[in-house]
Amino acid sequence: MSHHPHFFLPGATKRMEALSDGVFAIAATLLVLEIKVPELEKGFTQKELLHEMGKILPSLIAFVFSFLNILVFWVNHDAINKVITRYDTKTTYLNLVFLLFISLIPFTTSFISRYHESLIAITCYGVVLFFCSAVAAVMYHHLAFRSNLFMQAVTMKSRKKIWKQVVTGSVFFAIAIACGLITVYITIFIYALTPISFMFLPQLDFDSAEEEKLKLQS
Amino acid sequence: MSHHPHFFLPGATKRMEALSDGVFAIAATLLVLEIKVPELEKGFTQKELLHEMGKILPSLIAFVFSFLNILVFWVNHDAINKVITRYDTKTTYLNLVFLLFISLIPFTTSFISRYHESLIAITCYGVVLFFCSAVAAVMYHHLAFRSNLFMQAVTMKSRKKIWKQVVTGSVFFAIAIACGLITVYITIFIYALTPISFMFLPQLDFDSAEEEKLKLQS
Amino acid sequence: MSHHPHFFLPGATKRMEALSDGVFAIAATLLVLEIKVPELEKGFTQKELLHEMGKILPSLIAFVFSFLNILVFWVNHDAINKVITRYDTKTTYLNLVFLLFISLIPFTTSFISRYHESLIAITCYGVVLFFCSAVAAVMYHHLAFRSNLFMQAVTMKSRKKIWKQVVTGSVFFAIAIACGLITVYITIFIYALTPISFMFLPQLDFDSAEEEKLKLQS
Amino acid sequence: MSHHPHFFLPGATKRMEALSDGVFAIAATLLVLEIKVPELEKGFTQKELLHEMGKILPSLIAFVFSFLNILVFWVNHDAINKVITRYDTKTTYLNLVFLLFISLIPFTTSFISRYHESLIAITCYGVVLFFCSAVAAVMYHHLAFRSNLFMQAVTMKSRKKIWKQVVTGSVFFAIAIACGLITVYITIFIYALTPISFMFLPQLDFDSAEEEKLKLQS
């Protein structure tokens, strides 16, 4: 099949998508296991319980934040997969390494929930997010510019526009980690902003002429 | 593609469905981890074990109840997804927020199992269910009335009928939470009834003429 | 759509299958969390570790046994789903109740691992398996005889043959539970045999004439 | 349907793939639960935390290693499934046993993380990997040579080439386990190399003439 690189094989990316969806869904849903129900002795008052509940607030914030991060990565993963025709070996292994870092997020979330004032925990959390976005960037670069796995109809202009944003995301995470040496508040601030910036990636545009051809073929 | 909003793209909603199915299935199955096997010292009698088993009854009831709640949400999610042509950005993010609340259910279930007589636990449990149904309502409203993502053949009459029931569900959860201030028994009673009411949502009807066109196209 | 009960809607059962596959896969894979790594103090000898490992043998046997049970249920679930055209409301809710019992298996497995000599644990384990097979039987009966959801080409003869075996499975589990009152060894013996008997269910046969029609339609 | 063994049934392998993907994804993602956040009393210094973090390094290495192993098995599972037309009973049950061993990997990973210098733990870890590859080898042999489930276009030459590598993998794991009796360092070294060797399996080639026929049919 490697002799027909532009040949459109419907469903060729389906199982990799299924595996990725599985890892995304599990990583996101496992996060909830880190929110521990407070343990109180018999005879507790509602006030004591409320007070104990206050202590799980950092876990809850970390849960919401990590959940959204994972799913924003998913949204972009989905957007890219919709315009590729198949996976080559390099993309396959890059995607697996990407999933490895995604599945580390429940650990760093648990870590940051427990030590939310510690620079080490905050750094670890960012390092995993940085690797997620960096591996995603390498994968995107390979797909959009080095290989011919993107549908031909995708315009070079939109490929470049997204490439800029993907790189910006990784750079932001790197800056955020570095800022930790000065003050963790900037770090947390950048962590919070970066996924939001990823939420509004420009769409990949199709060249109308090419798109017509595609429709005729199918 | 955004220029052809009515264009039917088979499989356009498939990956979001796969991710959602993953989160639903994991959230439902993780619930079982909250039912803890009793720990007894060696030399226990069968009677002692039976007595200890009695203590896990609240966990078991909470498990059954949450499992059914999650799956009733799934049934309705599935019904809606069958008549939409694709996800736009707004629906995508609404769905992700919806999934976030669904994946919180194992935590509130664990909470209610441990403190089944506490008003705080019962309120937390209801708040998460309320947000699930409220976000679902916002999503439904956007899909059925604001966007053109529903298949055109779906009649306006049936769209409105379901809208009423979706809103009723959210209102019921809100009333149930408020009732907790008077007595938790009404709260629990309404919690138990609401998913049952959701089980028998009217079906979305297709306009026969439009349906014919759809069949001819495909 | 309810006006065309025999109308073949490709993919109509797909999402229910996806949800079911998710629950089956998670229930089966969560089982491994019940096998606990032994905890030894520093300075332990290899012999001590080996001795501690021996203690996890019941967990390991329970794991293998439950894993196979879950997957044998899956094989039969898959076989039935291949010949049905769509899910009606009754089948949908029966399937959800079926999944509820499947997802209880990790709990009863954990229970039987911890108290493998206790009649209560062995009974609980069997009761959940009994309900899995009983709900499956009710679902099968509805699909094969009461509704018109089976593909018409499936012969009545093969429908009846499988019905007999499905009922036999449930009856066997019921007998096994009852035997526990005399001796648990017979119970365990029947537990072990029943899934094996389910492994070799006769296949649903297609009427050749009807099958031809089906091929022409698609 | 058993009368038309070469008949191409699109989607016939889909549910087994979905179940397998689920088990692979869950087994890989559950691994992260074995990396435990260190527990420190209040008033700890950053240096103490860093020191405690050092102790989770073996868990982290075990995580990365097992994650890659599981996903390399997935890549090969996917490659084989792409060229088979359907599952027969034997392949189905072989695949289920294969998944059973895959789902044991989180346990052996947990075991090796806790006792990373123990010969018993290292042996257990290898035994599970050996069984994964051995069952996969039996399954491959059945598919490629005994049954007619492979697409006919797959050349016998490439079937044999892959068979050699599949067997080599199992033999390597067996040798690695045996080496543990001399020194565990060789064992670990072979464990690390084997998945890498699996990463570059030769592709199954299609006979061009047969491939043409296939295209015409679809």
Side-chain angles (χ1 to χ4, degrees), chain D residues 140-154:
Chain D
Y140 179 82
H141 189 262
H142 173 68
L143 285 168
F145 306 119
R146 299 266 151 197
S147 72
N148 38 26
L149 301 173
F150 260 35
M151 289 179 191
Q152 285 188 295
V154 181

Side-chain angles (χ1 to χ4, degrees), chain B residues 23 46 48 50-51 103 132 140 145 154 161 165 169 172 191 193 197 207 216-217:
Chain B
V23 172
Q46 290 297 306
E48 278 168 357
L50 209 58
H51 180 252
S103 76
C132 288
Y140 179 82
F145 306 119
V154 181
K161 217 166 28 179
Q165 279 209 270
F172 268 33
Y191 283 1
L193 281 188
S197 84
D207 183 272
L216 288 174
Q217 273 171 27

Side-chain angles (χ1 to χ4, degrees), chain A residues 22-36:
Chain A
V23 172
F24 278 113
I26 301 156
T29 319
L30 279 186
L31 291 169
V32 83
L33 297 182
E34 307 302 337
I35 316 179
K36 304 280 184 214

Side-chain angles (χ1 to χ4, degrees), chain B residues 10-21:
Chain B
T13 66
K14 222 161 50 185
R15 264 198 87 187
M16 185 50 113
E17 285 174 24
L19 184 84
S20 305
D21 286 345

